[in-house]
């Protein structure tokens, strides 16, 4: 997906919610590759739109079926995979992170899209540690105030829970080594 396609799909999803009578805001936090393209100006594409739900109250439950129908209709219309609108990441790491509130970025009818701080995305990418995530970190770094490994660790401490940092210590250390150099003592 390209950035303009994501914008079109989200606009159509918002219209689908509206046409099904959803009027209260359905709030989502944009993350992943879609965030990188739309908010960090990364020169890339993505296979899906990764999101976190910001609330799951009664209004969200009412909107859930309308969301599912809208996502399926858009997938069918544009021959997208059924998981083009992906909240699986949230289910996988919900108990490992502290989700920030974010700032309202765009409204698509009742679909309200929020942008988390770039530092939060950086922390998620460090936690994932894949090559593409580290490439994204290199794009994010100049857009943040993170300049040192210690500053990066403070950001991780803000958004990644201690137990998750212990469980993923090797991935995190490797990610930080790639971005900031190794902490190991160098031989003279």
């Amino acid at each position: 997906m390209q950035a303009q396609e994501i914008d079109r799909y989200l606009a159509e999803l918002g219209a689908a919610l509206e046409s099904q009578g959803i009027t209260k805001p359905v709030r989502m936090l944009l993350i992943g590759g879609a965030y990188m393209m739309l908010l960090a100006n990364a020169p890339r594409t993505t296979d899906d739109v990764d999101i976190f739900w910001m609330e799951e109250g009664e209004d969200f439950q009412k909107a859930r079926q309308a969301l599912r129908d809208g996502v399926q209709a858009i997938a069918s219309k544009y021959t997208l995979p059924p998981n083009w609108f992906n909240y699986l990441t949230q289910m996988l790491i919900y108990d490992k992170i502290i989700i920030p509130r974010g700032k309202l970025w765009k409204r698509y009818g009742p679909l309200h899209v929020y942008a988390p701080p770039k530092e939060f995305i950086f922390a998620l990418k460090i936690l994932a540690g894949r090559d593409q995530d580290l490439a994204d970190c290199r794009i994010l770094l100049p857009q943040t105030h993170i300049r040192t490994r210690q500053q990066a660790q403070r950001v991780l401490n803000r958004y990644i829970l201690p137990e998750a940092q212990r469980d993923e210590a090797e991935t995190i250390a490797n990610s930080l080594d790639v971005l900031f150099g190794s902490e190991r003592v160098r031989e003279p």
Side-chain angles (χ1 to χ4, degrees):
M1 281 183 238
Q2 304 283 335
Q4 63 273 22
E5 292 172 312
I6 293 169
D7 191 56
R8 178 175 54 229
Y9 302 153
L10 292 176
E12 288 192 28
L13 185 55
L17 290 172
E18 213 164 36
S19 73
Q20 292 192 45
I22 304 300
T23 55
K24 297 209 175 181
V26 177
R27 295 178 181 92
M28 58 171 258
L29 199 65
L30 189 65
I31 61 169
Y35 178 98
M36 291 303 299
M37 291 166 44
L38 295 168
L39 293 154
N41 301 312
R44 60 177 287 192
T45 61
T46 187
D47 295 329
D48 57 10
V49 177
D50 293 310
I51 59 108
F52 285 163
W53 296 118
M54 294 181 65
E55 59 206 345
E56 294 201 17
E58 188 177 318
D59 293 329
F60 174 77
Q61 294 305 323
K62 289 179 185 174
R64 193 177 208 135
Q65 187 61 48
L67 268 167
R68 191 173 308 130
D69 293 347
V71 166
Q72 289 173 351
I74 292 164
S76 178
K77 179 178 178 179
Y78 294 103
T79 38
L80 297 171
N83 65 338
W84 73 267
F85 190 72
N86 185 8
Y87 52 91
L88 181 60
T89 303
Q90 182 172 15
M91 293 167 30
L92 293 173
I93 66 171
Y94 188 78
D95 60 345
K96 297 179 181 192
I97 61 172
I98 298 166
I99 301 175
R101 293 179 54 109
K103 292 184 180 173
L104 182 61
W105 174 63
K106 272 194 177 178
R107 286 187 182 112
Y108 300 95
L111 183 63
H112 291 196
V113 180
Y114 286 75
K118 287 185 169 102
E119 292 80 4
F120 174 70
I121 300 298
F122 176 83
L124 292 181
K125 299 268 179 199
I126 291 288
L127 185 64
R130 301 167 301 190
D131 289 343
Q132 180 61 54
D133 295 306
L134 297 176
D136 287 343
C137 284
R138 287 187 182 96
I139 292 168
L140 287 168
L141 277 170
Q143 299 178 34
T144 69
H145 296 293
I146 303 167
R147 298 293 174 263
T148 67
R149 187 182 189 107
Q150 292 74 26
Q151 290 170 331
Q153 186 60 56
R154 282 196 288 275
V155 167
L156 289 167
N157 294 344
R158 184 179 319 141
Y159 294 115
I160 310 298
L161 294 171
E163 184 177 334
Q165 286 192 50
R166 282 190 300 276
D167 292 347
E168 301 297 332
E170 187 176 341
T171 299
I172 291 170
N174 290 338
S175 296
L176 293 173
D177 285 350
V178 167
L179 294 169
F180 298 101
S182 178
E183 269 195 335
R184 299 182 221 329
V185 177
R186 292 186 176 97
E187 296 293 323

